[in-house]
Amino acid sequence: MDRIPAHEIHRTLRIQILRHNPYDPGSMPKLQSFELEEADTMTLFIALNEIRQTQDPSLQFDFVCRAGICGSCGMIINGRPALACRTLTRNLPDIIILAPLPAFELIGDLSVNTGKWMRGMSERLETWVHAQHLEQVNIDSMEHAMEPALAEQIYELERCIECGCCVAACGTAQMHEDFVGAVGLNQIARFRLDPRDERTDADYYELVGDESGVFGCMTLLGCEDMCPKDLPLAAQIAFLRRRMAVAGL
Amino acid sequence: MQIIYTDVLVIGGGLAGQRAAISVKRRGHDTIILSLVPAKRSHSAAAQGGMQASLGNCVGAAGDDEDCHFADTVRGSDWGADQQVVRMFAHTAPKAIRELAAWGVPWNRVQRGAHEITVDGHKKTVSEAAAAHGLITARNFGGTGKWRACYVSDGTGHAMLYTLSNQAIAANIPVHERMEALALIHDGQRCCGAIVRNLMSGEILAYVAKATCIATGGFGRIYRVSTNAIINEGMGAAIALETGIACLGNMEAIQFHPTGIVPAGILVTEACRGDGGLLLDSAHRRFMSDYEPDKKELASRDVVARRMEEHIAAGYGVHSRFGAHLWLDIRLLGSSHIEHNLREVKEICRYFLGIDPLQDLIPVRPAQHYSMGGVRTDHRGQSPQLQGLFAAGESACWDIHGFNRLGGNSVAETVVAGMIVGDSMADFCDSADGALHISTTLAEMFASREQQRLAAITACRGGESAFELTRLMQDTMTEKVGIFRHGERLQQAVATLQELQRRACKLSLRSNAPGANPELVAAYRLPRMLKLALCVACGALQRTESRGAHYRADYPRRDDREWLRRTLATWADPQAELPVLTYEALDIMRMELPPGWRGYGAHDYIDHPDTSRRQQEIDTILADMGTADRHLRQAALMPFMHLMPEHLRGRNQRLGEE
């Protein structure tokens, strides 16, 4: 390659956004249409900011890293949950329909409160290393050794960015608001794999051994299909379900 | 107005803020973290390549210790750093990483036996010791003598932030998300909390605290082309400046990272080069070896970024519709290496450029990356001017980076500072000074001032657009206060920024939407960002030398005689158009490592008369010590252990040591 890939012909995009401001008593949910000239390597991050700056300054959305790593900008893009910041408009049709992620509290327009949901999930599933005397760990002496391959396996599951796409894509989560989602079950799988966490399957069973946990999953696989980090969610849930079934006997 | 009381208010939910809060909580004090965004989305998560800590486990790190880390960091800073604080930092970094290892960070580990590495464009086989198997490994980074950047693939910051956030949740530390501090509450001597705006409802509330910690990261978004997250607008530093009492240090010291992708400006990690990747020009020719025969692609960031721009200016850049750029080549690292150790880089290339770095070259050009300057503090993180105000991490200047930060030293700094400053705030709360004698009238007064500022914007009709003026500010900074600086252009920048400041007095909104109102947010942040931009531009204009990342084309030499000084900026009069700059001298006679050549970059600098005196003194002290060990020799030159919290004074064990 000797040049940066770009499109020669620019289209006029029609971007339709599902809008609602819960802080405005007069606001009713509606689909609002914006027209925008496409530019080279335009992402939805660039497009939405341009709409806000030049057409409607009240438009709400969330971006932080704009590099696909922080998980702030999950939204429904033409029917599929995805990260808006790394979605290039050139990969989308002329008409783009954007809506906030379902299953999360709406802050306004495309902005939803994933932070509150994820904190609740973390508190409920206790997504941290449980070990005796963690506060007294001697940090002057050598760290404990860990198998290099195991460290990489843990990182594979740790790559989750809590964007909420898996929850938005999940049939169970739409029906049962207390379902912990693939994001939660993946966390359990991650800590279960980690030898530093002293919890046993019996402990994990207490956390996810019911309908709101691993037995609520209907194996529709929307989570894995929509995960922007390509995490092996279906396999983790299937494996966890087997372990929890054994632990529950 | 709701008033929330706590012992320690931490503003910022990234690595530094969360680690500080954990320390405070462990010491039995109550704490609340305020965060613009959910804490796990903080910009700390974007750190890719590694955290420097001198563990010395892998072959490339053999012989590493605090002394090497200290010397690399001071040279990297171009002697702008506070050497005692660098010592504290280098001593604490191994402890910080071992604590994180116990808490759950899946650091990459040493694999015993032979493995292939890429050095200087060639494959080489090295063999790791059996005794090191399973210990934390490290990779090579720029400006370092050893492989010291410990890593988790290229998602190091993400893994660290998730582990720390989860520990903070375990410690039951509340994070008040989507909250923005608008002003610090103070009585002229003592800081006692902040006036805060809820970024969902728009509501104003007050947080009253014994100690307040700014941990809000950098202010890269005053530039147009930046690797920073869009929330890095420097509001923490700005509200400290707006007290008129606390000062900001070395604001002109701005780092440009060599490898921002073109055109998005998104970072691809220094680990690309650390692991053996090369920089190529339009003829696909490697050029860094011409400029820097020793360190090549792995000189410090300021030097590599400057050489790249020089090479582009000499006509060797690639011309694209997005302007000139160069290439980063990581194809030679091979698919297994990229898929295991550079997976975020691969994703970024795929999604933002539509290319595969296994097959294709990556278009790169230097982009604003890091703010070495920030809220000036002492070695324990407290503002020397405003009691009860603390700062940690990128938003602070305590100051370990001087005029250039080494890659991997930022995430290391966040956790180290969190440990030390957190402890220091707990000490403060325990002391008589920590007692709070504030009347709620003071909080009400500050709240009403902020409300009036917002009301003035809302009431204004037919005024200027904050979005438009922000863009003009960012263009000015990128074009005139960038990598190559010049007196005349800096003067133009100051004039433009002042003009923008005048225009920003008459901002008006097109929308009065209830709730947070994103347009109002842009409008109230702009005047504060302009103040920071003016601190940077004025600092750069005044500093008539070149040091680290601050390069003056009209004053190309480092001038230790005149400029071995830290810039301090204050903004006492809110109506003033410019910051007041004063200078604090760095005392060579107290340095462990007197100024010299960095080992890369320019050989040419103006010596300070104290340099040779101090060097002679050091030579005499060391000669008298005979065979004393490295710890004693260090302590004889520049004692620092007395500055450390007691529980962090232990020696760091390494492989083969007791």
Side-chain angles (χ1 to χ4, degrees):
Chain A
M1 184 199 79
D2 219 40
R3 52 202 290 263
I4 303 167
H7 266 215
E8 302 299 325
I9 305 158
H10 294 149
R11 302 170 293 173
T12 299
L13 301 172
R14 195 193 309 158
I15 302 186
Q16 298 182 316
I17 302 175
L18 182 57
R19 305 214 43 195
H20 177 50
N21 180 358
Y23 291 94
D24 180 355
S27 171
M28 291 288 283
K30 61 170 185 204
L31 210 54
Q32 188 178 352
S33 199
F34 299 94
E35 284 197 353
L36 189 68
E37 285 302 300
E38 194 173 24
D40 284 322
T41 70
M42 181 181 255
T43 59
L44 286 179
F45 162 70
I46 294 168
L48 286 170
N49 272 291
E50 197 172 314
I51 291 173
R52 175 144 92 190
Q53 290 174 15
T54 61
Q55 301 187 40
D56 190 334
S58 69
L59 184 62
Q60 294 188 66
F61 47 76
D62 291 323
F63 290 99
V64 178
C65 74
R66 62 81 174 88
I69 51 143
C70 78
S72 296
C73 63
M75 59 182 71
I76 305 290
I77 304 166
N78 285 346
R80 299 166 74 87
L83 299 181
C85 75
R86 68 175 200 187
T87 301
L88 290 163
T89 55
R90 70 172 181 237
N91 298 329
L92 296 173
D94 300 352
I95 296 178
I96 302 169
I97 302 175
L98 304 178
L101 289 185
F104 300 98
E105 190 177 292
L106 181 71
I107 292 171
D109 301 334
L110 300 170
S111 170
V112 293
N113 204 337
T114 50
K116 183 178 168 187
W117 196 99
M118 295 297 167
R119 169 96 185 196
M121 179 274 292
S122 276
E123 287 174 356
R124 185 168 142 208
L125 300 184
E126 303 181 15
T127 60
W128 54 85
V129 163
H130 287 52
Q132 299 268 309
H133 315 300
L134 208 51
E135 287 198 21
Q136 285 83 45
V137 58
N138 182 344
I139 51 176
D140 295 338
S141 54
M142 303 286 301
E143 66 276 15
H144 292 296
M146 178 185 269
E147 274 305 308
L150 177 60
E152 285 202 35
Q153 273 181 310
I154 295 170
Y155 178 60
E156 182 64 32
L157 304 186
E158 177 109 341
R159 293 180 72 237
C160 169
I161 54 173
E162 298 189 355
C163 61
C165 287
C166 63
V167 177
C170 172
T172 303
Q174 306 314 308
M175 294 187 292
H176 302 294
E177 66 172 39
D178 57 349
F179 183 56
V180 299
V183 55
L185 297 172
N186 177 65
Q187 299 264 4
I188 294 295
R190 179 247 176 269
F191 287 99
R192 209 183 152 274
L193 198 58
D194 195 328
R196 292 168 290 201
D197 197 315
E198 293 165 0
R199 284 178 289 184
T200 64
D201 275 351
D203 298 322
Y204 293 124
Y205 184 83
E206 292 301 315
L207 297 170
V208 294
D210 63 6
E211 295 284 291
S212 68
V214 76
F215 299 117
C217 169
M218 302 186 288
T219 326
L220 299 175
L221 307 185
C223 56
E224 179 154 332
D225 288 348
M226 298 300 150
C227 176
K229 291 287 153 181
D230 298 318
L231 295 179
L233 298 170
Q236 293 306 319
I237 293 172
F239 181 70
L240 192 61
R241 186 189 293 120
R242 280 212 305 278
R243 303 310 310 172
M244 291 301 104
V246 171
L249 287 177
Chain B
M1 180 185 61
Q2 192 188 359
I3 301 183
I4 294 169
Y5 300 88
T6 187
D7 293 329
V8 176
L9 178 67
V10 177
I11 305 173
L15 284 170
Q18 295 211 53
R19 184 60 190 82
I22 290 172
S23 281
V24 164
K25 185 86 179 185
R26 281 184 165 190
R27 291 274 304 269
H29 299 284
D30 194 33
T31 180
I32 294 173
I33 297 173
L34 302 180
S35 182
L36 292 176
V37 296
K40 284 176 181 165
R41 315 218 187 284
S42 304
H43 189 52
S44 302
Q48 296 171 4
M51 161 175 171
Q52 284 211 44
S54 60
L55 298 183
N57 289 326
C58 64
V59 164
D64 200 11
D65 58 23
E66 297 84 356
D67 297 351
C68 303
H69 192 184
F70 165 79
D72 285 344
T73 302
V74 171
R75 291 197 174 96
S77 80
D78 221 353
W79 278 272
D82 181 319
Q83 296 195 6
Q84 277 186 317
V85 183
V86 177
R87 268 291 173 190
M88 295 171 68
F89 161 70
H91 172 77
T92 312
K95 302 180 201 303
I97 204 164
R98 285 169 172 163
E99 180 178 78
L100 288 167
W103 287 0
V105 174
W107 297 109
N108 278 55
R109 302 288 172 144
V110 178
Q111 172 75 49
R112 71 168 80 83
H115 66 108
E116 203 173 54
I117 59 171
T118 309
V119 179
D120 215 9
H122 303 288
K123 295 287 181 195
K124 197 177 144 187
T125 300
V126 295
S127 187
E128 301 289 352
H133 183 75
L135 298 176
I136 297 171
T137 192
R139 60 172 28 136
N140 200 5
F141 252 41
T144 63
K146 302 283 179 188
W147 290 30
R148 191 184 300 123
C150 305
Y151 61 96
V152 183
S153 183
D154 59 349
T156 310
H158 166 87
M160 291 171 70
L161 184 62
Y162 269 57
T163 295
L164 256 183
S165 299
N166 286 332
Q167 287 295 328
I169 296 171
N172 205 14
I173 295 170
V175 180
H176 293 191
E177 295 175 0
R178 296 178 190 262
M179 290 286 185
E180 173 168 5
L182 296 182
L184 294 171
I185 305 168
H186 66 91
D187 61 4
Q189 272 114 43
R190 174 83 158 83
C191 177
C192 41
I195 301 301
V196 171
R197 183 166 186 267
N198 181 322
L199 290 176
M200 294 182 284
S201 66
E203 183 196 356
I204 300 282
L205 53 167
Y207 285 73
V208 169
K210 293 176 180 169
T212 305
C213 182
I214 306 276
T216 51
F219 48 89
R221 285 287 153 183
I222 62 172
Y223 284 84
R224 183 186 67 222
V225 184
S226 172
T227 65
N228 280 194
I230 56 162
I231 53 171
N232 294 139
E233 297 183 306
M235 289 305 105
I239 61 173
L241 183 68
E242 285 196 330
T243 61
I245 299 159
C247 64
L248 306 182
N250 283 347
M251 292 294 280
E252 66 271 32
I254 301 282
Q255 178 166 87
F256 295 82
H257 195 290
T259 58
I261 63 168
V262 177
I266 293 169
L267 173 75
V268 291
T269 171
E270 181 157 326
C272 292
R273 287 170 289 131
D275 292 358
L278 306 173
L279 290 168
L280 307 178
D281 62 19
S282 57
H284 292 198
R285 202 179 66 84
R286 190 179 179 196
F287 59 91
M288 275 308 296
S289 35
D290 302 344
Y291 295 105
E292 296 292 330
D294 294 338
K295 300 291 281 183
K296 304 183 178 81
E297 280 85 357
L298 289 174
S300 61
R301 287 176 178 171
D302 57 327
V303 171
V304 177
R306 215 147 42 228
R307 298 303 196 187
M308 289 170 73
E309 290 295 331
E310 252 181 272
H311 204 60
I312 289 173
Y316 298 106
V318 185
H319 297 286
S320 81
R321 63 166 72 190
F322 309 107
H325 65 83
L326 293 160
W327 298 116
L328 173 65
D329 184 3
I330 61 169
R331 297 171 304 181
L332 67 167
L333 306 184
S335 65
S336 167
H337 186 89
I338 291 173
E339 272 152 23
H340 282 93
N341 290 349
L342 296 170
R343 44 198 304 180
E344 299 298 331
V345 170
K346 192 175 174 219
E347 267 192 20
I348 287 167
C349 288
R350 178 172 140 210
Y351 285 101
F352 293 93
L353 292 164
I355 64 166
D356 176 5
L358 280 166
Q359 316 287 333
D360 305 312
L361 298 172
I362 308 169
V364 292
R365 188 167 187 173
Q368 191 286 340
H369 183 59
Y370 189 82
S371 318
M372 271 76 76
V375 181
R376 178 73 184 127
T377 74
D378 62 19
H379 63 279
R380 297 292 302 275
Q382 185 163 205
S383 162
Q385 295 87 23
L386 190 56
Q387 201 182 40
L389 177 66
F390 295 77
E394 187 175 352
S395 61
C397 177
W398 63 333
D399 139 14
I400 69 164
H401 306 304
F403 278 77
N404 175 66
R405 172 177 71 75
L406 293 183
N409 262 354
S410 64
V411 279
E413 178 189 24
T414 60
V415 280
V416 166
M419 291 164 85
I420 293 174
V421 179
D423 208 59
S424 158
M425 291 192 291
D427 286 346
F428 178 75
C429 289
D430 285 336
S431 74
D433 289 341
L436 209 52
H437 307 283
I438 158 194
S439 134
T440 51
T441 321
L442 186 67
E444 300 281 357
M445 197 183 86
F446 274 87
S448 111
R449 190 189 78 186
E450 290 311 310
Q451 264 151 347
Q452 279 164 22
R453 282 169 93 166
L454 299 183
I457 298 171
T458 323
C460 181
R461 292 282 171 273
E464 300 270 3
S465 151
F467 294 131
E468 166 75 4
L469 300 192
T470 303
R471 195 178 55 75
L472 292 172
M473 169 191 68
Q474 291 168 331
D475 286 346
T476 304
M477 293 304 287
T478 288
E479 281 153 27
K480 297 193 169 157
V481 199
I483 296 179
F484 286 95
R485 300 172 174 180
H486 191 282
E488 204 177 312
R489 294 171 65 77
L490 289 169
Q491 246 151 14
Q492 291 166 3
V494 171
T496 307
L497 293 169
Q498 283 185 285
E499 172 64 25
L500 291 174
Q501 201 178 26
R502 282 189 283 271
R503 290 172 64 184
C505 293
K506 290 189 289 285
L507 293 173
S508 70
L509 307 180
R510 283 175 294 156
S511 153
N512 265 330
N517 191 355
E519 193 185 21
L520 178 60
V521 174
Y524 66 69
R525 286 182 188 170
L526 173 65
R528 296 182 169 105
M529 290 173 82
L530 281 167
K531 282 184 177 158
L532 298 181
L534 276 162
C535 288
V536 176
C538 292
L541 178 61
Q542 296 272 348
R543 186 173 282 274
T544 48
E545 65 152 358
S546 293
R547 183 180 299 276
H550 169 72
Y551 187 86
R552 285 285 298 262
D554 44 351
Y555 296 92
R557 292 203 291 175
R558 191 180 87 203
D559 184 352
D560 291 341
R561 198 171 54 207
E562 294 299 324
W563 283 106
L564 204 57
R565 299 191 282 169
R566 185 174 295 118
T567 311
L568 300 179
T570 48
W571 208 300
D573 173 8
Q575 304 309 316
E577 290 203 332
L578 291 173
V580 174
L581 301 185
T582 55
Y583 293 90
E584 126 185 273
L586 276 71
D587 185 359
I588 293 175
M589 297 313 288
R590 295 178 54 209
M591 286 182 184
E592 182 177 338
L593 187 63
W597 182 51
R598 303 167 82 189
Y600 42 79
H603 285 262
D604 189 21
Y605 49 88
I606 300 166
D607 258 326
H608 191 284
D610 282 350
T611 300
S612 59
R613 271 179 58 213
R614 176 60 179 161
Q615 193 56 56
Q616 276 171 13
E617 202 173 81
I618 288 173
D619 294 345
T620 313
I621 293 170
L622 292 181
D624 288 348
M625 294 198 69
T627 56
D629 75 6
R630 67 182 182 91
H631 302 284
L632 289 171
R633 294 160 75 88
Q634 191 285 320
L637 296 181
M638 188 188 69
F640 73 96
M641 207 51 93
H642 61 288
L643 304 175
M644 295 289 304
E646 247 168 72
H647 70 282
L648 295 175
R649 291 183 188 176
R651 282 191 188 172
N652 299 308
Q653 192 192 11
R654 289 190 178 75
L655 205 58
E657 287 174 11
E658 281 307 305

